[in-house]
Amino acid sequence: MNLHFPGSTTGSYSRNLNHLWSTDAVVLIWKHAAVEHYYRGLAHGATHLDVDLASAAATAREVLKNQPLVAKLKAGAQAVVRDLICPDCLEKFLAAALAKIRARHAQNLILDDAGSLRAALRGANCTGLVEYRQAHPTQDDTQLGLHKAIERRVRVVPLPAAKVVGDGEDPACAALVNTVFNN
């Protein structure tokens, strides 16, 4: 049984909780105001149990003596890993969030045209930009071990050298535009 408190000791609050889902144990979450993007998919009594000072001890005792509840909560935690915080799940969530921001701010006017993007980046320093690519899970990955492999599966890929650099254009920015538009 794992009890998750708000805050963090290493990494981040979110990283710690993401780890707890995949430990094949019951997850107890201390009631708090923080909200993760996947919380809409959680259900007290199905994926975890919410606790506070008044309920923590009694809830823990109930979990220790109720094996059907333990099995249900473990299955719920595995579903959180499989359906809500898996690498593909996070990728889809971020893509959807960025698409909404993009649409709201009409970023297509700049981002969908190589010339407009080059003009917008003129004078910028893009040195150090890299592309992050996710290697997808293999058959050797277990569902509960996915959280440990996420960071190992993200590869940093330096942008290739720019083929064409305009006057006053940063070579790294030109390489970014070339990569995006496959020029």
Side-chain angles (χ1 to χ4, degrees), residues 45-164:
T47 56
H48 70 288
L49 295 172
D50 294 312
V51 298
D52 58 20
L53 186 59
S55 66
T59 300
R61 282 192 295 275
E62 177 63 26
V63 168
L64 291 173
K65 68 180 183 181
N66 188 337
Q67 287 309 304
L69 178 60
V70 168
K72 179 181 178 182
L73 292 169
K74 282 183 175 185
Q78 289 174 1
V80 169
V81 173
R82 183 188 63 243
D83 301 334
L84 300 174
I85 63 170
C86 69
D88 287 338
C89 302
L90 294 172
E91 182 179 352
K92 288 175 186 171
F93 168 77
L94 288 173
L98 291 173
K100 287 181 180 181
I101 292 169
R102 188 177 196 275
R104 172 72 172 97
H105 296 285
Q107 292 174 339
N108 62 303
L109 299 175
I110 295 172
L111 298 178
D112 289 352
D113 177 74
S116 296
L117 183 55
R118 280 186 188 276
L121 292 173
R122 190 153 289 121
N125 180 351
C126 298
T127 303
L129 288 180
V130 294
E131 180 180 2
Y132 287 88
R133 292 187 189 159
Q134 175 186 324
H136 292 281
T138 67
Q139 289 180 331
D140 296 332
D141 291 322
T142 62
Q143 193 61 46
L144 292 178
L146 279 179
H147 79 282
K148 295 176 184 172
I150 290 172
E151 289 179 4
R152 289 193 306 268
R153 281 203 299 258
V154 174
R155 296 187 326 264
V156 176
V157 180
L159 295 173
K163 296 174 186 170
V164 178

